[in-house]
Amino acid sequence: MRLKSFLSSGLFMSGLAAGTSFNSTQPPTGFPPCDALMQAGLEKSILLPTEPSYAARIESYWSLNSRQHPFCIVQPRNAKEVATAMTALLGADSAGDWHIAIRSGGHNSGGANNIDNGVTIDLVHLNEATYDKKTNLASVGPGAKWMDVYAKLAKDDVLVTGGRDGDVGVGGFLLGGGSTFFMGTEGFGCDAVKNYEVVLTNGTIVNANEKAHSDLWLALKGGGSNFGIVTRYDMEALPNKKLAHKVRTINITHAPQIARDFVEFTDNYEKFTNDALVVYLTHNATISKETIVGTIQVNTEGKVNSTGFEKLDEIPDIAPAQYDHITLAEAAAGSQVAGGTWMCEATLTFSNTKGLMKKAISMHERYVRDMKNAIGEENFATMFFFQPMPTMFGDISKRRGGNMIAFDLEEKNAVLWTAGVVVKTNQQDRIHSQSLMNKMTADLKSYSKSIGGATNLVYLNYADTTQDPLGSYGAKNVDYLKGVAKRYDSEGLFQTRFPLGFKISSVGS
Ligand SMILES: Cc1cc2nc3c(=O)[nH]c(=O)nc-3n(C[C@H](O)[C@H](O)[C@H](O)COP(=O)(O)OP(=O)(O)OC[C@H]3O[C@@H](n4cnc5c(N)ncnc54)[C@H](O)[C@@H]3O)c2cc1C
Ligand SMILES: *[C@@H]1O[C@H](CO)[C@@H](O)[C@H](O)[C@H]1NC(C)=O
Ligand SMILES: *[C@@H]1O[C@H](CO)[C@@H](O)[C@H](O)[C@H]1NC(C)=O
Ligand SMILES: *[C@@H]1O[C@H](CO)[C@@H](O)[C@H](O)[C@H]1NC(C)=O
Ligand SMILES: *[C@@H]1O[C@H](CO)[C@@H](O)[C@H](O)[C@H]1NC(C)=O
Ligand SMILES: *[C@@H]1O[C@H](CO)[C@@H](O)[C@H](O)[C@H]1NC(C)=O
């Protein structure tokens, strides 16, 4: 219907009427940017709304927030085709105020990966995961999902530091940093990237690494979608060891002990750098009327009952812990948060203290109460995550060449707090739930400030669109990112024609 109304309006035919002869074998689509893609020889890579595969592709977005309907979806097969698409789209008639979106895994919950009024570049076919033994580098495509990357690399008995949820995509994850099970020895996921292949707005394909375009290499480590389209990540690989992987459920009445043990774990991270801990709170009426605490306790060397978890393990489980000795590929394949609903999220860091942990836990309870009143208990489920963010992660990043995120990790050990909520009803309830969440986030921030426990970092991969993760990197890094964006995209097209995600041009200096 959309397509028809556009066709009949005739408005969007202006590009053709005014333009060059149409030499594609396909009839014009009625959308200047889609016609431009056809003209450029990409007709086999375009999905139009009239095709069944188009609808399936929209459905494949993880959250409902992202299921917009672009004029067409273009699915380039390699970096060269990405460059062709870039040039064709930026050269097309921009009348009608249309814009361009980029999709890799499509897992971002805030809708920054798709667009109604414009074209989406879908990197699904850029999904390689290959290993070169000589260089110990794994080349990973942005459109791949982490579970597939791990499965492919396992054939060479290596792994890379990527996502824990197997359904998350490579592209967005690494641009925001990447929180992984390997932080204690490897820093952020992006710290393993030795080379980025990038398609710039002028259509040139560059490699950014420590020697060539090193400014772009550094900026891409946490700098988000501000410089060009990344078409390949070359990552340092690690041996594919089995993980000791334990998932537990604990009664919320043990919250004070959880807070104490989490803080102690984080403050002593250097003693057990192969351990990874995620603590979460979940209120899910289909499981329980009460909030349940969960922990994910991993040792990346496969060591069972690592001493790092000794204290936590004294807290009794509600149900028998799920204990596995498994590869990262198996862990990721078995761990995928279900999509297909509306999503809200927000994130903060605060200093690693028992008091702030307890405050955050009590704020979750208050949020649940507010949500029950607002949209009804059966219509939502919460997942609030706590992850250690000690200064030593920043030290590791620095040793590996630095990134945009780690500067804030210099002063004190912190907690990475992330609020996530599944809303099962409708967009209106999502908006309401998000505004309650934003209020809670602001309250937690001002509480942490009031007791001298505020830290700056707003982690990009978990941030809501109202937050300012790039600004949280500090004035020096903001200026740096602005300089790099200007050098590689002098016309600022990645800021204007690609408006989604966190844009460096909208950060105040
Ligand atoms: C259930 C769940 C679990 C998660 N687990 C983790 C975790 O363990 N650790 C962690 O750090 N994060 C995690 N995340 C957050 C996740 O990293 C982000 O949502 C990330 O953006 C997803 O990457 P993607 O490729 O699927 O994203 P997309 O949705 O495809 O893209 C995200 C953003 O990046 C831009 N982009 C994508 N690819 C490119 C590219 N090649 N070039 C330029 N711009 C690009 C897009 O335009 C979009 O704005 C999780 C999220 C969820 C919902
Ligand atoms: C027409 O197609 C040819 C060959 O594919 C290409 O070189 C040329 O640029 C196209 N013309 C236009 C106007 O796009
Ligand atoms: C948690 O503990 C309290 C107090 O002992 C008990 O009433 C409640 O049923 C427990 N909840 C769960 C989910 O086990
Ligand atoms: C690990 O700890 C659990 C719980 O204390 C215990 O049941 C199990 O035997 C331990 N496993 C090993 C290998 O020590
Ligand atoms: C809530 O619990 C149900 C039943 O176990 C599960 O299917 C669903 O995925 C849970 N929701 C969330 C957001 O965890
Ligand atoms: C595109 O921009 C890059 C970075 O500024 C530059 O190195 C390259 O030469 C440019 N390519 C063209 C074709 O102008």
Side-chain angles (χ1 to χ4, degrees):
M1 316 153 275
R2 270 188 81 69
L3 182 62
K4 227 190 249 163
S5 70
F6 267 107
L7 284 170
S8 58
S9 77
L11 193 62
F12 287 85
M13 303 292 279
S14 53
L16 273 180
T20 45
S21 69
F22 196 83
N23 75 353
S24 162
T25 53
Q26 300 293 119
T29 64
F31 303 106
C34 304
D35 288 341
L37 290 166
M38 297 240 181
Q39 290 277 30
L42 294 172
E43 58 207 61
K44 289 207 180 72
S45 306
I46 296 172
L47 299 181
L48 290 169
T50 45
E51 297 169 57
S53 48
Y54 173 100
R57 201 58 197 143
I58 303 299
E59 292 286 301
S60 74
Y61 277 95
W62 184 67
S63 78
L64 289 183
N65 311 38
S66 286
R67 298 189 185 173
Q68 286 88 2
H69 294 82
F71 301 160
C72 59
I73 298 169
V74 60
Q75 301 179 321
R77 309 220 151 242
N78 50 48
K80 208 159 153 269
E81 284 195 6
V82 173
T84 304
M86 174 80 94
T87 304
L89 289 172
L90 292 177
D93 185 353
S94 64
D97 197 31
W98 60 269
H99 291 94
I100 310 163
I102 304 164
R103 171 196 184 155
S104 279
H107 210 279
N108 185 280
S109 61
N113 45 22
N114 199 11
I115 194 160
D116 270 328
N117 199 44
V119 173
T120 296
I121 301 176
D122 177 0
L123 302 172
V124 62
H125 296 310
L126 277 66
N127 63 352
E128 69 175 309
T130 57
Y131 175 64
D132 180 353
K133 202 168 178 179
K134 277 202 293 292
T135 56
N136 190 39
L137 291 180
S139 293
V140 183
K145 304 233 172 212
W146 286 112
M147 59 181 166
D148 300 326
V149 169
Y150 301 144
K152 284 182 185 167
L153 295 180
K155 291 181 187 139
D156 288 303
D157 227 13
V158 293
L159 58 80
V160 286
T161 50
R164 296 165 291 207
D165 182 308
D167 195 37
V168 168
V170 168
F173 177 96
L174 287 174
L175 288 173
S179 164
T180 82
F181 285 138
F182 300 86
M183 307 281 280
T185 54
E186 312 301 319
F188 289 85
C190 67
D191 291 320
V193 181
K194 293 285 144 188
N195 180 66
Y196 296 86
E197 181 187 74
V198 190
V199 173
L200 302 176
T201 51
N202 69 4
T204 300
I205 303 174
V206 298
N207 280 287
N209 50 58
E210 202 159 12
K211 297 220 169 72
H213 305 296
S214 59
D215 52 349
L216 179 58
W217 174 67
L218 183 57
L220 280 165
K221 297 202 267 176
S225 192
N226 278 291
F227 315 99
I229 300 177
V230 179
T231 47
R232 200 184 70 235
Y233 300 83
D234 296 327
M235 300 177 76
E236 215 157 43
L238 297 173
N240 187 26
K241 294 183 185 162
K242 281 198 174 174
L243 314 173
H245 186 275
K246 186 150 85 170
V247 181
R248 306 175 54 200
T249 51
I250 295 168
N251 192 313
I252 184 69
T253 53
H254 294 293
Q257 286 144 278
I258 297 273
R260 183 197 62 202
D261 296 344
F262 180 96
V263 167
E264 202 176 310
F265 178 90
T266 304
D267 279 339
N268 289 286
Y269 218 118
E270 69 281 357
K271 293 184 194 146
F272 27 80
T273 54
N274 291 114
D275 288 344
L277 173 65
V278 179
V279 168
Y280 61 93
L281 306 173
T282 181
H283 186 93
N284 183 340
T286 31
I287 303 175
S288 167
K289 292 273 173 208
E290 296 160 40
T291 294
I292 306 266
V293 184
T295 70
I296 303 168
Q297 303 172 192
V298 168
N299 181 281
T300 56
E301 294 276 302
K303 195 169 139 205
V304 177
N305 295 345
S306 163
T307 51
F309 303 121
E310 242 166 34
K311 282 273 171 57
L312 268 172
D313 282 340
E314 286 171 12
I315 304 173
D317 298 307
I318 295 176
Q322 182 198 324
Y323 169 77
D324 291 303
H325 200 228
I326 49 177
T327 62
L328 183 60
E330 289 163 338
S335 163
Q336 290 155 54
V337 176
T341 56
W342 297 101
M343 299 284 168
C344 307
E345 68 178 348
T347 191
L348 279 182
T349 51
F350 47 76
S351 63
N352 182 46
T353 69
K354 240 179 354 187
L356 279 164
M357 282 292 291
K358 283 194 204 158
K359 185 71 178 180
I361 293 169
S362 73
M363 281 193 173
H364 171 266
E365 293 309 291
R366 197 184 77 191
Y367 182 75
V368 167
R369 268 200 312 278
D370 291 347
M371 285 289 286
K372 282 184 192 169
N373 292 332
I375 74 169
E377 184 166 28
E378 64 290 357
N379 293 326
F380 74 94
T382 65
M383 272 177 302
F384 282 31
F385 291 88
F386 298 87
Q387 298 177 58
M389 200 51 78
T391 57
M392 62 167 283
F393 290 179
D395 299 338
I396 297 167
S397 298
K398 238 187 244 166
R399 260 203 319 275
R400 303 187 78 188
N403 65 34
M404 292 290 108
I405 308 161
F407 105 95
D408 189 50
L409 301 179
E410 284 163 21
E411 285 191 5
K412 48 190 172 186
N413 293 338
V415 178
L416 171 58
W417 170 87
T418 307
V421 170
V422 163
V423 174
K424 300 176 192 166
T425 46
N426 54 49
Q427 169 80 309
Q428 211 181 336
D429 284 349
R430 180 196 71 78
I431 292 167
H432 193 61
S433 308
Q434 184 70 55
S435 75
L436 287 172
M437 184 180 280
N438 293 350
K439 183 171 180 313
M440 167 183 54
T441 308
D443 287 349
L444 186 53
K445 180 80 191 179
S446 53
Y447 180 80
S448 72
K449 267 189 192 150
S450 75
I451 62 159
T455 53
N456 291 321
L457 180 66
V458 175
Y459 181 57
L460 190 146
N461 280 352
Y462 301 139
D464 175 54
T465 50
T466 58
Q467 298 188 282
D468 181 17
L470 297 173
S472 82
Y473 298 166
K476 192 163 152 258
N477 283 359
V478 167
D479 285 346
Y480 187 81
L481 289 168
K482 285 186 176 179
V484 174
K486 198 153 181 52
R487 281 198 287 287
Y488 288 91
D489 174 27
S490 57
E491 291 179 60
L493 293 169
F494 224 77
Q495 304 298 312
T496 52
R497 304 293 291 132
F498 295 81
L500 302 179
F502 299 101
K503 291 290 151 177
I504 194 62
S505 55
S506 51
V507 179
S509 292

